[in-house]
Amino acid sequence: MASDTKTKTGSVILMSAGQEDDVTVVRLDRASESKIGDSPECHVTEGPFKGIVVKQTVDEKGRLPPVGNPNVRTWFFAHTRDKNTDLESATYSRERREICFWFRRKASKPDQILQATKYFKSLIEPEHFPKDYVSFIKKSMLLMQEFPLMRRVQVSVRPEPDTEGGHDGLSLRPEAEDEEPPIENFITVLTPAVYDYQYLPEVPVSRKNHVTFRIMASAEAHVALSHVYGDTDRRTYEIVLGGWNNTKSAIRYGGRGPIEVEANTPGLLNADDFQAFWITWSDDGGSLEVGRGMTRGLNCVLRWPKIPPAKQHSINLMSVSTGPGSPGRWEFIEYLSAVTKVSETKASKRAKVRRGVVWYAKKTKMLENLEAAFPSCINTQQLLSLSSVRLTDMLEAVVFLKDLLKLGLALEVARGVWLRSPTNHLDTAHEIRMVSEMPRLIGREAPTVALVTVLYCEKQAMDTMMEDKISYVVHSVDSTGTSKSTVYTVGRIGDHRVVAMKLRKIAIQASTKASHAKAIDQLIGIFDQLQHVLIVTTGGAVPNYTDYGKHLRRGDVAVSVPRTPDGPMYVHCSDVEMGDQAFFSTSVWNAADDSIAKVARQLYDVSVSRGGHETLRSWEKYSESGQEQLRRIDDRFHRPPGKTDRLYALLEGERDPVLVRHPVPPPEKRYAYRENTPNVRLGPIGCGRAVARIDALRMEFASCHGIVAYDRGLHHVVDAVMNSRVSSCGLVLGICDYLDGTKTRTWQPYAAVCAASFAKSLVLGLPAFGRRRGYYQ
């Protein structure tokens, strides 16, 4: 039968009742009123059931439809008597009342435990405990209205033999008045009939030395106690229960590794009934024991008393699996203290807040490291090391990574190997394809323009300028078992087919310089129709304190264009010799094909012309559109306040830089000034740590070579392009500071959008697959 009660929010609490063997089940579901309606199966009853709408929802055997596993489970024992008999002659029957809770997805585990505890305490409050079943169910329904995160509550009543003799009235477990009822964190895991470990973030083991569980399987139950997530082959204790056709059990070092301890255990597992087991280990990793039952220390089956020091390790994670031909059902029960969840001292609250702040910082660092390593994948241990996360905190770290996986922000390309996702959950048109090698694109599908970025925010900005995007995640495993990956995003800008690639900011196994050069060689080798390479990144401006026409400020764009036909577009300073005057050791590059420089000059002429300022210039339109898209996933892409763009100058006679005003155009050029919009400047781009970070040398080197901006040191990338078959190359820098693009992150996302939008205008002005297009789109 079913009944409904309207909740405060206008939804309905629907009650369904059924019978399964000797168990009476009452299920309360939160549903919309439309699910009740005026069904002909519903009718209103009278008498003690007045006001309850009845509806049949069971099958022909009186059973309720099956549902998934609960989030929280608890129970108590009640002794009941027939109300028509007096207390002296009454016969009491004992029954077990189990309450299961299902919560909405947005409810965190602590909230689930807290709400289940409050619900349970209110329900069994001795002064107001319901004296009959109808009152008990009605109170359950009324209580559910007060807990909006609950989506289902189920009460099961099972008669049980009274092993403790008769009792007067009601008996609850635990019986001590000052004890709280037991709260279960109940986890069920299903494993297929294949040897493939499933990690269990719901069962923490890093700060424990034991675990208990039940397993229903015909044979081959495997438990892996690992040091690092994703690596069950090394630094793992593997426990095999009922192996070798349910005849033996063993402890191995490493998944399917050498057997360290074994024992004959015929018929240990049962395919039709749960069998309970416990596992304990010493805190120092020196011993390991496995036994039957739920009481630790009794019925020991396997014992490894002295683990060799070379094989000892801390246990931070647990995974389970079953073998071929034997699917398994596992049950893990964590008993949680309701007292610690409900009442917290001020000190514990402060500690909880501090831990939350620290973990927020660590999570942010983990995401940043994933983005810095992109397009390379990174394993769990490397990621935790880079993020300063201890191995004992691996559970929280892996749960966070799994959350990133659910949000579409990360990919797990192999077990325990992570990659920042090349797209986001809102960009549904951006397709991701996992491949072992990059497929060859031919004809009009072959990209002719490559767009190279360094920071992940630059890659995000560049992707918004493209249409019909497909990201190819090329993942492989070498002979040493190391995962390697790279990502190419192929799309369209106007009539051009383009490929975007991000260089890794950090290199895991080789120097950054070598990895960047190799990445460029692979890019040009794979896409053999490339004609142009544009490096789109952020950098630092060389300010001009008096001439607005030569001044660059944050948010502006610098494009690498030679000052003279035979001049360089890119200059690198490798060393400085100081004497009466500075002597700079330099390397210079220029592109043999000046197509990019020509289009850049044409766009610049438009930007400084009077007509070009009457309406939005093309790249300004693209910038506004890109910011609008990106702000939906990250609010960093807006333009920072103008007051944060402070300009300092080192004046003669002063030891410290002095704050100065940005120059403004003269009256006859006022039309060229537009507040909070990017300006474009053309000239050589420079780099070199020897000069970029020392103000005096930086300005002197820029003056000698006409440099307008400095990048973060991409000379090896430029050199790799110039020494390839591609003869057309250029750099587009979004200005984010007055150094080399690495001083502050505040302006980087916005500067990346400005650079990407101007790069789009450049691409649209290039020759498109066999025919010329106008430069201005």
Side-chain angles (χ1 to χ4, degrees):
M1 67 178 179
S3 69
D4 69 331
T5 298
K6 291 185 179 181
T7 68
K8 297 176 183 178
T9 60
S11 59
V12 173
I13 303 298
L14 171 66
M15 187 194 78
S16 304
Q19 192 80 18
E20 297 180 13
D21 298 328
D22 59 343
V23 181
T24 301
V25 180
V26 178
R27 185 178 298 164
L28 308 176
D29 285 284
R30 193 182 303 277
S32 62
E33 296 182 52
S34 60
K35 289 193 174 183
I36 302 300
D38 298 323
S39 172
E41 299 177 1
C42 298
H43 62 279
V44 179
T45 59
E46 300 294 336
F49 297 98
K50 184 176 181 179
I52 296 179
V53 179
V54 178
K55 180 180 180 181
Q56 296 295 328
T57 58
V58 297
D59 60 14
E60 64 277 2
K61 295 184 179 180
R63 295 175 301 189
L64 291 172
V67 293
N69 296 312
N71 300 115
V72 180
R73 186 178 70 169
T74 186
W75 69 85
F76 64 94
F77 291 103
H79 290 79
T80 61
R81 65 176 177 84
D82 188 340
K83 66 179 181 180
N84 296 321
T85 59
D86 55 38
L87 292 175
E88 295 181 358
S89 60
T91 301
Y92 294 91
S93 59
R94 184 171 184 251
E95 60 187 26
R96 185 179 191 269
R97 297 187 183 182
E98 180 180 89
I99 306 177
C100 298
F101 301 88
W102 287 259
F103 288 85
R104 299 181 187 273
R105 290 184 178 180
K106 63 181 180 181
S108 64
K109 180 59 71 174
D111 287 338
Q112 294 175 12
I113 300 300
L114 182 62
Q115 292 212 9
T117 302
K118 289 182 177 179
Y119 182 101
F120 186 78
K121 290 176 66 177
S122 300
L123 181 63
I124 66 170
E125 188 178 12
E127 294 82 0
H128 305 286
F129 189 82
K131 304 302 182 183
D132 55 67
Y133 285 114
V134 174
S135 300
F136 184 79
I137 298 305
K138 276 195 169 185
K139 185 173 182 180
S140 301
M141 297 173 69
L142 292 172
L143 278 175
M144 195 172 174
Q145 299 177 26
E146 302 176 12
F147 298 92
L149 291 179
M150 292 182 185
R151 63 181 179 87
R152 178 180 296 126
V153 175
Q154 180 172 292
V155 180
S156 303
V157 180
R158 180 196 301 272
E160 291 204 356
D162 189 356
T163 58
E164 303 180 14
H167 291 267
D168 292 337
L170 177 68
S171 173
L172 298 178
R173 298 301 178 95
E175 295 177 355
E177 293 183 359
D178 57 345
E179 286 192 56
E180 294 290 342
I183 299 295
E184 272 191 353
N185 182 16
F186 182 72
I187 302 106
T188 297
V189 180
L190 302 178
T191 52
V194 60
Y195 182 76
D196 183 22
Y197 276 109
Q198 294 187 28
Y199 163 61
L200 304 181
E202 304 91 346
V203 186
V205 295
S206 61
R207 293 180 175 85
K208 296 168 57 177
N209 61 2
H210 67 275
V211 65
T212 56
F213 59 92
R214 294 190 289 261
I215 171 67
M216 183 190 298
S218 60
E220 297 283 346
H222 300 262
V223 179
L225 303 174
S226 303
H227 183 62
V228 177
Y229 171 75
D231 188 358
T232 55
D233 296 329
R234 295 165 293 184
R235 306 195 76 183
T236 292
Y237 304 130
E238 182 181 53
I239 298 160
V240 183
L241 299 172
W244 296 271
N245 293 323
N246 204 16
T247 61
K248 292 198 309 182
S249 299
I251 300 176
R252 289 176 166 142
Y253 183 69
R256 290 185 172 173
I259 294 176
E260 305 292 345
V261 179
E262 63 179 336
N264 292 321
T265 55
L268 183 69
L269 300 181
N270 191 320
D272 301 315
D273 193 15
F274 280 105
Q275 303 298 313
F277 296 93
W278 53 264
I279 304 172
T280 63
W281 56 90
S282 60
D283 292 332
D284 59 3
S287 64
L288 182 67
E289 293 184 355
V290 183
R292 299 185 65 171
M294 299 298 287
T295 305
R296 300 191 303 274
L298 297 181
N299 301 320
C300 184
V301 176
L302 298 167
R303 180 180 288 112
W304 193 3
K306 295 182 179 180
I307 301 175
K311 296 182 178 180
Q312 293 180 12
H313 61 76
S314 61
I315 294 173
N316 298 311
L317 306 119
M318 182 171 68
S319 307
V320 295
S321 174
T322 41
S326 176
R329 181 185 178 92
W330 306 70
E331 286 190 353
F332 294 86
I333 301 174
E334 293 286 313
Y335 292 95
L336 303 174
S337 170
V339 177
T340 58
K341 295 292 181 182
V342 176
S343 59
E344 293 182 311
T345 65
K346 290 184 178 180
S348 64
K349 287 182 178 179
R350 286 195 297 268
K352 185 177 181 180
V353 170
R354 284 196 299 270
R355 180 172 174 80
V357 172
V358 171
W359 259 106
Y360 177 80
K362 289 182 178 180
K363 290 176 179 179
T364 302
K365 188 65 175 177
M366 289 170 65
L367 185 59
E368 288 176 353
N369 284 325
L370 282 175
E371 293 179 349
F374 183 91
S376 292
C377 51
I378 183 171
N379 66 43
T380 306
Q381 190 165 7
Q382 291 169 338
L383 182 59
L384 299 191
S385 176
L386 289 170
S387 308
S388 301
V389 178
R390 296 174 297 181
L391 289 177
T392 53
D393 293 327
M394 185 175 293
L395 173 64
E396 291 91 340
V398 174
V399 169
F400 171 66
L401 290 170
K402 293 290 187 180
D403 288 341
L404 293 181
L405 195 65
K406 294 177 183 177
L407 293 172
L409 298 177
L411 302 174
E412 191 173 10
V413 295
R415 183 67 60 85
V417 180
W418 307 92
L419 175 72
R420 179 64 163 95
S421 176
T423 182
N424 63 80
H425 64 286
L426 295 178
D427 193 357
T428 55
H430 190 158
E431 182 182 353
I432 299 177
R433 295 182 185 178
M434 299 289 297
V435 296
S436 57
E437 61 180 25
M438 184 66 198
R440 188 168 184 267
L441 302 179
I442 59 175
R444 290 187 173 271
E445 295 300 313
T448 58
V449 181
L451 304 165
V452 180
T453 58
V454 179
L455 302 180
Y456 190 82
C457 64
E458 297 165 359
K459 180 227 168 342
Q460 289 177 297
M462 199 67 253
D463 284 355
T464 62
M465 305 298 158
M466 300 163 54
E467 298 177 287
D468 304 331
K469 298 182 290 287
I470 300 175
S471 284
Y472 294 90
V473 179
V474 185
H475 174 254
S476 61
V477 180
D478 63 17
S479 57
T480 63
T482 303
S483 287
K484 295 182 178 181
S485 68
T486 190
V487 179
Y488 301 108
T489 301
V490 179
R492 180 175 55 83
I493 294 180
D495 288 342
H496 294 271
R497 293 291 292 175
V498 300
V499 55
M501 181 191 73
K502 176 190 172 295
L503 299 172
R504 59 185 62 84
K505 186 182 175 185
I506 56 175
I508 305 302
Q509 297 175 327
S511 69
T512 304
K513 178 178 178 179
S515 66
H516 285 183
K518 184 178 180 181
I520 294 296
D521 292 340
Q522 290 178 340
L523 172 72
I524 296 174
I526 292 173
F527 300 97
D528 53 9
Q529 298 298 312
L530 286 179
Q531 301 173 17
H532 313 277
V533 175
L534 265 178
I535 302 169
V536 186
T537 184
T538 52
V542 176
N544 190 297
Y545 301 103
T546 57
D547 189 348
Y548 173 82
K550 298 179 181 179
H551 182 58
L552 272 172
R553 59 188 301 176
R554 290 182 173 96
D556 288 347
V557 176
V559 187
S560 60
V561 174
R563 295 287 186 185
T564 61
D566 56 349
M569 72 165 204
Y570 194 86
V571 185
H572 169 240
C573 178
S574 58
D575 191 21
V576 181
E577 293 183 13
M578 300 300 297
D580 295 337
Q581 60 181 7
F583 177 77
F584 304 103
S585 298
T586 61
S587 301
V588 298
W589 292 268
N590 196 7
D593 183 343
D594 64 348
S595 299
I596 293 175
K598 286 181 178 178
V599 177
R601 291 190 183 98
Q602 292 170 337
L603 290 171
Y604 174 76
D605 290 342
V606 170
S607 72
V608 297
S609 67
R610 187 179 295 273
H613 285 265
E614 294 175 355
T615 59
L616 285 178
R617 296 165 290 191
S618 63
W619 58 90
E620 293 175 358
K621 298 176 184 177
Y622 306 145
S623 177
E624 289 186 359
S625 174
Q627 288 179 66
E628 184 179 350
Q629 294 181 53
L630 291 166
R631 278 198 293 259
R632 292 185 299 167
I633 60 171
D634 195 332
D635 58 4
R636 298 177 302 164
F637 286 92
H638 68 277
R639 182 183 176 92
K643 63 182 180 181
T644 63
D645 182 17
R646 294 187 175 93
L647 181 63
Y648 291 87
L650 187 61
L651 303 180
E652 187 175 355
E654 298 286 344
R655 296 184 57 184
D656 299 319
V658 177
L659 180 65
V660 297
R661 294 184 61 184
H662 291 276
V664 295
E668 65 274 13
K669 294 286 186 180
R670 274 305 157 82
Y671 66 85
Y673 179 75
R674 184 183 292 169
E675 189 72 25
N676 296 329
T677 57
N679 291 309
V680 179
R681 298 290 182 261
L682 309 181
I685 303 297
C687 76
R689 296 181 68 88
V691 294
R693 294 176 175 269
I694 302 174
D695 286 339
L697 291 177
R698 187 174 186 274
M699 297 303 292
E700 183 178 351
F701 185 69
S703 178
C704 291
H705 297 276
I707 292 170
V708 295
Y710 287 87
D711 69 19
R712 62 186 65 243
L714 301 177
H715 56 282
H716 44 279
V717 178
V718 175
D719 185 67
V721 176
M722 295 299 185
N723 289 315
S724 71
R725 58 172 180 78
V726 177
S727 57
S728 176
C729 176
L731 288 87
V732 180
L733 268 60
I735 302 302
C736 62
D737 59 35
Y738 299 101
L739 191 68
D740 58 3
T742 62
K743 186 176 182 179
T744 177
R745 299 181 183 180
T746 305
W747 282 78
Q748 279 180 351
Y750 174 75
V753 177
C754 294
S757 60
F758 191 84
K760 178 174 182 177
S761 293
L762 273 177
V763 171
L764 289 171
L766 293 171
F769 205 88
R771 62 191 182 94
R772 296 288 299 184
R773 290 188 60 83
Y775 67 87
Y776 188 68
Q777 300 293 324

